[in-house]
PDB file of all heavy atoms in Angstrom:
ATOM      1  N   GLY A  25       9.012  -1.040  73.292  1.00 91.00           N
ATOM      2  CA  GLY A  25       8.027  -1.228  72.222  1.00 91.00           C
ATOM      3  C   GLY A  25       8.007  -2.656  71.708  1.00 91.00           C
ATOM      4  O   GLY A  25       6.938  -3.219  71.447  1.00 91.00           O
ATOM      5  N   MET A  26       9.185  -3.247  71.565  1.00 92.00           N
ATOM      6  CA  MET A  26       9.265  -4.643  71.123  1.00 92.00           C
ATOM      7  C   MET A  26       8.632  -5.580  72.141  1.00 92.00           C
ATOM      8  O   MET A  26       7.919  -6.525  71.776  1.00 92.00           O
ATOM      9  CB  MET A  26      10.725  -5.027  70.869  1.00 92.00           C
ATOM     10  CG  MET A  26      11.343  -4.329  69.676  1.00 92.00           C
ATOM     11  SD  MET A  26      13.114  -4.670  69.494  1.00 92.00           S
ATOM     12  CE  MET A  26      13.098  -6.427  69.127  1.00 92.00           C
ATOM     13  N   VAL A  27       8.876  -5.336  73.412  1.00 93.00           N
ATOM     14  CA  VAL A  27       8.271  -6.162  74.461  1.00 93.00           C
ATOM     15  C   VAL A  27       6.753  -6.022  74.449  1.00 93.00           C
ATOM     16  O   VAL A  27       6.014  -7.015  74.554  1.00 93.00           O
ATOM     17  CB  VAL A  27       8.844  -5.781  75.839  1.00 93.00           C
ATOM     18  CG1 VAL A  27       8.071  -6.478  76.954  1.00 93.00           C
ATOM     19  CG2 VAL A  27      10.315  -6.143  75.923  1.00 93.00           C
ATOM     20  N   ALA A  28       6.261  -4.787  74.290  1.00 94.00           N
ATOM     21  CA  ALA A  28       4.815  -4.557  74.268  1.00 94.00           C
ATOM     22  C   ALA A  28       4.167  -5.230  73.056  1.00 94.00           C
ATOM     23  O   ALA A  28       3.106  -5.855  73.178  1.00 94.00           O
ATOM     24  CB  ALA A  28       4.530  -3.056  74.250  1.00 94.00           C
ATOM     25  N   CYS A  29       4.818  -5.117  71.884  1.00 94.00           N
ATOM     26  CA  CYS A  29       4.272  -5.763  70.678  1.00 94.00           C
ATOM     27  C   CYS A  29       4.256  -7.274  70.818  1.00 94.00           C
ATOM     28  O   CYS A  29       3.301  -7.936  70.394  1.00 94.00           O
ATOM     29  CB  CYS A  29       5.091  -5.357  69.459  1.00 94.00           C
ATOM     30  SG  CYS A  29       4.866  -3.648  68.934  1.00 94.00           S
ATOM     31  N   SER A  30       5.294  -7.837  71.410  1.00 93.00           N
ATOM     32  CA  SER A  30       5.337  -9.288  71.596  1.00 93.00           C
ATOM     33  C   SER A  30       4.237  -9.750  72.552  1.00 93.00           C
ATOM     34  O   SER A  30       3.621 -10.801  72.336  1.00 93.00           O
ATOM     35  CB  SER A  30       6.707  -9.712  72.123  1.00 93.00           C
ATOM     36  OG  SER A  30       6.951  -9.161  73.403  1.00 93.00           O
ATOM     37  N   MET A  31       3.947  -8.971  73.589  1.00 94.00           N
ATOM     38  CA  MET A  31       2.877  -9.333  74.510  1.00 94.00           C
ATOM     39  C   MET A  31       1.524  -9.281  73.818  1.00 94.00           C
ATOM     40  O   MET A  31       0.653 -10.131  74.067  1.00 94.00           O
ATOM     41  CB  MET A  31       2.880  -8.394  75.716  1.00 94.00           C
ATOM     42  CG  MET A  31       4.158  -8.466  76.564  1.00 94.00           C
ATOM     43  SD  MET A  31       4.547 -10.136  77.140  1.00 94.00           S
ATOM     44  CE  MET A  31       3.193 -10.413  78.266  1.00 94.00           C
ATOM     45  N   MET A  32       1.332  -8.294  72.929  1.00 94.00           N
ATOM     46  CA  MET A  32       0.090  -8.222  72.161  1.00 94.00           C
ATOM     47  C   MET A  32      -0.049  -9.421  71.233  1.00 94.00           C
ATOM     48  O   MET A  32      -1.141  -9.981  71.069  1.00 94.00           O
ATOM     49  CB  MET A  32       0.042  -6.912  71.372  1.00 94.00           C
ATOM     50  CG  MET A  32      -0.104  -5.662  72.234  1.00 94.00           C
ATOM     51  SD  MET A  32      -0.027  -4.139  71.280  1.00 94.00           S
ATOM     52  CE  MET A  32      -1.446  -4.354  70.204  1.00 94.00           C
ATOM     53  N   MET A  33       1.058  -9.841  70.626  1.00 93.00           N
ATOM     54  CA  MET A  33       1.031 -11.013  69.752  1.00 93.00           C
ATOM     55  C   MET A  33       0.725 -12.278  70.547  1.00 93.00           C
ATOM     56  O   MET A  33      -0.021 -13.146  70.083  1.00 93.00           O
ATOM     57  CB  MET A  33       2.369 -11.144  69.015  1.00 93.00           C
ATOM     58  CG  MET A  33       2.632 -10.033  68.012  1.00 93.00           C
ATOM     59  SD  MET A  33       4.285 -10.100  67.284  1.00 93.00           S
ATOM     60  CE  MET A  33       4.172 -11.616  66.326  1.00 93.00           C
ATOM     61  N   TYR A  34       1.310 -12.392  71.738  1.00 93.00           N
ATOM     62  CA  TYR A  34       0.996 -13.532  72.613  1.00 93.00           C
ATOM     63  C   TYR A  34      -0.501 -13.569  72.933  1.00 93.00           C
ATOM     64  O   TYR A  34      -1.129 -14.636  72.899  1.00 93.00           O
ATOM     65  CB  TYR A  34       1.791 -13.443  73.912  1.00 93.00           C
ATOM     66  CG  TYR A  34       3.201 -13.952  73.828  1.00 93.00           C
ATOM     67  CD1 TYR A  34       4.264 -13.169  74.271  1.00 93.00           C
ATOM     68  CD2 TYR A  34       3.480 -15.219  73.320  1.00 93.00           C
ATOM     69  CE1 TYR A  34       5.572 -13.631  74.200  1.00 93.00           C
ATOM     70  CE2 TYR A  34       4.772 -15.686  73.250  1.00 93.00           C
ATOM     71  CZ  TYR A  34       5.826 -14.887  73.692  1.00 93.00           C
ATOM     72  OH  TYR A  34       7.110 -15.357  73.619  1.00 93.00           O
ATOM     73  N   PHE A  35      -1.066 -12.414  73.233  1.00 93.00           N
ATOM     74  CA  PHE A  35      -2.495 -12.341  73.564  1.00 93.00           C
ATOM     75  C   PHE A  35      -3.351 -12.726  72.356  1.00 93.00           C
ATOM     76  O   PHE A  35      -4.327 -13.481  72.495  1.00 93.00           O
ATOM     77  CB  PHE A  35      -2.836 -10.922  74.024  1.00 93.00           C
ATOM     78  CG  PHE A  35      -4.302 -10.715  74.296  1.00 93.00           C
ATOM     79  CD1 PHE A  35      -4.888 -11.224  75.452  1.00 93.00           C
ATOM     80  CD2 PHE A  35      -5.102 -10.021  73.395  1.00 93.00           C
ATOM     81  CE1 PHE A  35      -6.243 -11.035  75.703  1.00 93.00           C
ATOM     82  CE2 PHE A  35      -6.449  -9.830  73.636  1.00 93.00           C
ATOM     83  CZ  PHE A  35      -7.024 -10.338  74.793  1.00 93.00           C
ATOM     84  N   PHE A  36      -2.983 -12.232  71.177  1.00 92.00           N
ATOM     85  CA  PHE A  36      -3.739 -12.543  69.966  1.00 92.00           C
ATOM     86  C   PHE A  36      -3.688 -14.035  69.649  1.00 92.00           C
ATOM     87  O   PHE A  36      -4.714 -14.648  69.326  1.00 92.00           O
ATOM     88  CB  PHE A  36      -3.187 -11.733  68.787  1.00 92.00           C
ATOM     89  CG  PHE A  36      -3.882 -11.996  67.489  1.00 92.00           C
ATOM     90  CD1 PHE A  36      -5.134 -11.468  67.232  1.00 92.00           C
ATOM     91  CD2 PHE A  36      -3.288 -12.796  66.514  1.00 92.00           C
ATOM     92  CE1 PHE A  36      -5.787 -11.714  66.033  1.00 92.00           C
ATOM     93  CE2 PHE A  36      -3.929 -13.047  65.315  1.00 92.00           C
ATOM     94  CZ  PHE A  36      -5.183 -12.505  65.073  1.00 92.00           C
ATOM     95  N   ILE A  37      -2.509 -14.634  69.756  1.00 90.00           N
ATOM     96  CA  ILE A  37      -2.373 -16.076  69.508  1.00 90.00           C
ATOM     97  C   ILE A  37      -3.148 -16.868  70.557  1.00 90.00           C
ATOM     98  O   ILE A  37      -3.774 -17.892  70.248  1.00 90.00           O
ATOM     99  CB  ILE A  37      -0.886 -16.484  69.509  1.00 90.00           C
ATOM    100  CG1 ILE A  37      -0.159 -15.833  68.333  1.00 90.00           C
ATOM    101  CG2 ILE A  37      -0.736 -18.004  69.445  1.00 90.00           C
ATOM    102  CD1 ILE A  37       1.333 -16.033  68.355  1.00 90.00           C
ATOM    103  N   GLY A  38      -3.140 -16.372  71.792  1.00 88.00           N
ATOM    104  CA  GLY A  38      -3.820 -17.077  72.874  1.00 88.00           C
ATOM    105  C   GLY A  38      -5.331 -17.117  72.726  1.00 88.00           C
ATOM    106  O   GLY A  38      -5.975 -18.064  73.187  1.00 88.00           O
ATOM    107  N   ILE A  39      -5.922 -16.101  72.084  1.00 89.00           N
ATOM    108  CA  ILE A  39      -7.382 -16.075  71.937  1.00 89.00           C
ATOM    109  C   ILE A  39      -7.854 -16.581  70.583  1.00 89.00           C
ATOM    110  O   ILE A  39      -9.060 -16.742  70.371  1.00 89.00           O
ATOM    111  CB  ILE A  39      -7.934 -14.655  72.179  1.00 89.00           C
ATOM    112  CG1 ILE A  39      -7.406 -13.688  71.120  1.00 89.00           C
ATOM    113  CG2 ILE A  39      -7.612 -14.180  73.572  1.00 89.00           C
ATOM    114  CD1 ILE A  39      -7.999 -12.301  71.197  1.00 89.00           C
ATOM    115  N   THR A  40      -6.927 -16.829  69.651  1.00 85.00           N
ATOM    116  CA  THR A  40      -7.334 -17.295  68.318  1.00 85.00           C
ATOM    117  C   THR A  40      -6.873 -18.718  68.022  1.00 85.00           C
ATOM    118  O   THR A  40      -7.684 -19.602  67.783  1.00 85.00           O
ATOM    119  CB  THR A  40      -6.787 -16.345  67.234  1.00 85.00           C
ATOM    120  OG1 THR A  40      -5.352 -16.225  67.375  1.00 85.00           O
ATOM    121  CG2 THR A  40      -7.429 -14.974  67.336  1.00 85.00           C
ATOM    122  N   ILE A  41      -5.572 -18.950  68.050  1.00 83.00           N
ATOM    123  CA  ILE A  41      -5.030 -20.247  67.630  1.00 83.00           C
ATOM    124  C   ILE A  41      -5.076 -21.276  68.738  1.00 83.00           C
ATOM    125  O   ILE A  41      -5.460 -22.433  68.512  1.00 83.00           O
ATOM    126  CB  ILE A  41      -3.588 -20.071  67.113  1.00 83.00           C
ATOM    127  CG1 ILE A  41      -3.574 -19.141  65.894  1.00 83.00           C
ATOM    128  CG2 ILE A  41      -2.975 -21.415  66.762  1.00 83.00           C
ATOM    129  CD1 ILE A  41      -2.194 -18.875  65.350  1.00 83.00           C
ATOM    130  N   VAL A  42      -4.703 -20.890  69.959  1.00 85.00           N
ATOM    131  CA  VAL A  42      -4.609 -21.851  71.062  1.00 85.00           C
ATOM    132  C   VAL A  42      -5.942 -22.559  71.343  1.00 85.00           C
ATOM    133  O   VAL A  42      -5.959 -23.776  71.551  1.00 85.00           O
ATOM    134  CB  VAL A  42      -4.068 -21.166  72.328  1.00 85.00           C
ATOM    135  CG1 VAL A  42      -4.119 -22.105  73.527  1.00 85.00           C
ATOM    136  CG2 VAL A  42      -2.643 -20.698  72.098  1.00 85.00           C
ATOM    137  N   PHE A 170       5.616 -22.651  65.829  1.00 86.00           N
ATOM    138  CA  PHE A 170       6.060 -21.649  64.867  1.00 86.00           C
ATOM    139  C   PHE A 170       5.333 -20.326  65.102  1.00 86.00           C
ATOM    140  O   PHE A 170       5.918 -19.245  64.930  1.00 86.00           O
ATOM    141  CB  PHE A 170       5.806 -22.143  63.447  1.00 86.00           C
ATOM    142  CG  PHE A 170       6.331 -21.217  62.381  1.00 86.00           C
ATOM    143  CD1 PHE A 170       7.679 -21.168  62.088  1.00 86.00           C
ATOM    144  CD2 PHE A 170       5.466 -20.394  61.676  1.00 86.00           C
ATOM    145  CE1 PHE A 170       8.169 -20.313  61.106  1.00 86.00           C
ATOM    146  CE2 PHE A 170       5.938 -19.532  60.696  1.00 86.00           C
ATOM    147  CZ  PHE A 170       7.301 -19.494  60.414  1.00 86.00           C
ATOM    148  N   ALA A 171       4.054 -20.397  65.491  1.00 87.00           N
ATOM    149  CA  ALA A 171       3.297 -19.177  65.771  1.00 87.00           C
ATOM    150  C   ALA A 171       3.869 -18.434  66.967  1.00 87.00           C
ATOM    151  O   ALA A 171       3.867 -17.202  67.009  1.00 87.00           O
ATOM    152  CB  ALA A 171       1.826 -19.516  66.014  1.00 87.00           C
ATOM    153  N   PHE A 172       4.377 -19.170  67.956  1.00 90.00           N
ATOM    154  CA  PHE A 172       4.963 -18.547  69.141  1.00 90.00           C
ATOM    155  C   PHE A 172       6.415 -18.135  68.930  1.00 90.00           C
ATOM    156  O   PHE A 172       6.982 -17.439  69.775  1.00 90.00           O
ATOM    157  CB  PHE A 172       4.878 -19.495  70.339  1.00 90.00           C
ATOM    158  CG  PHE A 172       3.548 -19.491  71.025  1.00 90.00           C
ATOM    159  CD1 PHE A 172       2.667 -20.554  70.880  1.00 90.00           C
ATOM    160  CD2 PHE A 172       3.169 -18.410  71.813  1.00 90.00           C
ATOM    161  CE1 PHE A 172       1.433 -20.544  71.506  1.00 90.00           C
ATOM    162  CE2 PHE A 172       1.944 -18.393  72.456  1.00 90.00           C
ATOM    163  CZ  PHE A 172       1.065 -19.458  72.295  1.00 90.00           C
ATOM    164  N   LEU A 173       7.020 -18.563  67.825  1.00 91.00           N
ATOM    165  CA  LEU A 173       8.438 -18.287  67.606  1.00 91.00           C
ATOM    166  C   LEU A 173       8.715 -16.804  67.447  1.00 91.00           C
ATOM    167  O   LEU A 173       9.613 -16.253  68.096  1.00 91.00           O
ATOM    168  CB  LEU A 173       8.922 -19.060  66.378  1.00 91.00           C
ATOM    169  CG  LEU A 173      10.367 -18.778  65.942  1.00 91.00           C
ATOM    170  CD1 LEU A 173      11.344 -19.199  67.041  1.00 91.00           C
ATOM    171  CD2 LEU A 173      10.681 -19.493  64.635  1.00 91.00           C
ATOM    172  N   TRP A 174       7.940 -16.121  66.571  1.00 90.00           N
ATOM    173  CA  TRP A 174       8.219 -14.715  66.273  1.00 90.00           C
ATOM    174  C   TRP A 174       8.001 -13.798  67.473  1.00 90.00           C
ATOM    175  O   TRP A 174       8.858 -12.947  67.761  1.00 90.00           O
ATOM    176  CB  TRP A 174       7.380 -14.276  65.073  1.00 90.00           C
ATOM    177  CG  TRP A 174       7.749 -15.014  63.827  1.00 90.00           C
ATOM    178  CD1 TRP A 174       7.001 -15.929  63.155  1.00 90.00           C
ATOM    179  CD2 TRP A 174       8.993 -14.939  63.114  1.00 90.00           C
ATOM    180  NE1 TRP A 174       7.691 -16.425  62.076  1.00 90.00           N
ATOM    181  CE2 TRP A 174       8.918 -15.834  62.027  1.00 90.00           C
ATOM    182  CE3 TRP A 174      10.163 -14.198  63.316  1.00 90.00           C
ATOM    183  CZ2 TRP A 174       9.960 -16.004  61.131  1.00 90.00           C
ATOM    184  CZ3 TRP A 174      11.216 -14.374  62.414  1.00 90.00           C
ATOM    185  CH2 TRP A 174      11.105 -15.266  61.339  1.00 90.00           C
ATOM    186  N   PRO A 175       6.898 -13.914  68.211  1.00 92.00           N
ATOM    187  CA  PRO A 175       6.784 -13.060  69.398  1.00 92.00           C
ATOM    188  C   PRO A 175       7.848 -13.353  70.449  1.00 92.00           C
ATOM    189  O   PRO A 175       8.284 -12.448  71.167  1.00 92.00           O
ATOM    190  CB  PRO A 175       5.370 -13.350  69.921  1.00 92.00           C
ATOM    191  CG  PRO A 175       4.966 -14.631  69.309  1.00 92.00           C
ATOM    192  CD  PRO A 175       5.656 -14.686  67.993  1.00 92.00           C
ATOM    193  N   THR A 176       8.290 -14.617  70.528  1.00 94.00           N
ATOM    194  CA  THR A 176       9.346 -14.954  71.481  1.00 94.00           C
ATOM    195  C   THR A 176      10.664 -14.291  71.094  1.00 94.00           C
ATOM    196  O   THR A 176      11.382 -13.758  71.951  1.00 94.00           O
ATOM    197  CB  THR A 176       9.526 -16.480  71.556  1.00 94.00           C
ATOM    198  OG1 THR A 176       8.289 -17.088  71.943  1.00 94.00           O
ATOM    199  CG2 THR A 176      10.609 -16.859  72.554  1.00 94.00           C
ATOM    200  N   LEU A 177      10.975 -14.313  69.790  1.00 94.00           N
ATOM    201  CA  LEU A 177      12.195 -13.654  69.327  1.00 94.00           C
ATOM    202  C   LEU A 177      12.123 -12.147  69.559  1.00 94.00           C
ATOM    203  O   LEU A 177      13.117 -11.518  69.968  1.00 94.00           O
ATOM    204  CB  LEU A 177      12.409 -13.958  67.839  1.00 94.00           C
ATOM    205  CG  LEU A 177      12.772 -15.397  67.482  1.00 94.00           C
ATOM    206  CD1 LEU A 177      12.861 -15.565  65.977  1.00 94.00           C
ATOM    207  CD2 LEU A 177      14.099 -15.795  68.125  1.00 94.00           C
ATOM    208  N   MET A 178      10.946 -11.566  69.301  1.00 93.00           N
ATOM    209  CA  MET A 178      10.788 -10.124  69.519  1.00 93.00           C
ATOM    210  C   MET A 178      10.898  -9.778  71.001  1.00 93.00           C
ATOM    211  O   MET A 178      11.531  -8.778  71.368  1.00 93.00           O
ATOM    212  CB  MET A 178       9.433  -9.654  68.968  1.00 93.00           C
ATOM    213  CG  MET A 178       9.210  -8.162  69.072  1.00 93.00           C
ATOM    214  SD  MET A 178       7.639  -7.627  68.355  1.00 93.00           S
ATOM    215  CE  MET A 178       7.958  -7.928  66.617  1.00 93.00           C
ATOM    216  N   PHE A 179      10.302 -10.589  71.854  1.00 94.00           N
ATOM    217  CA  PHE A 179      10.379 -10.356  73.300  1.00 94.00           C
ATOM    218  C   PHE A 179      11.815 -10.471  73.788  1.00 94.00           C
ATOM    219  O   PHE A 179      12.287  -9.636  74.578  1.00 94.00           O
ATOM    220  CB  PHE A 179       9.479 -11.358  74.023  1.00 94.00           C
ATOM    221  CG  PHE A 179       9.493 -11.224  75.519  1.00 94.00           C
ATOM    222  CD1 PHE A 179       8.721 -10.260  76.147  1.00 94.00           C
ATOM    223  CD2 PHE A 179      10.278 -12.064  76.303  1.00 94.00           C
ATOM    224  CE1 PHE A 179       8.732 -10.120  77.523  1.00 94.00           C
ATOM    225  CE2 PHE A 179      10.300 -11.933  77.675  1.00 94.00           C
ATOM    226  CZ  PHE A 179       9.518 -10.957  78.288  1.00 94.00           C
TER     227      PHE A 179
END
Side-chain angles (χ1 to χ4, degrees):
M26 292 174 66
V27 171
C29 289
S30 64
M31 297 305 293
M32 292 175 61
M33 293 174 67
Y34 278 129
F35 176 75
F36 179 76
I37 294 173
I39 64 174
T40 55
I41 299 178
V42 173
F170 185 77
F172 278 106
L173 175 63
W174 296 111
T176 302
L177 291 176
M178 183 178 291
F179 179 81

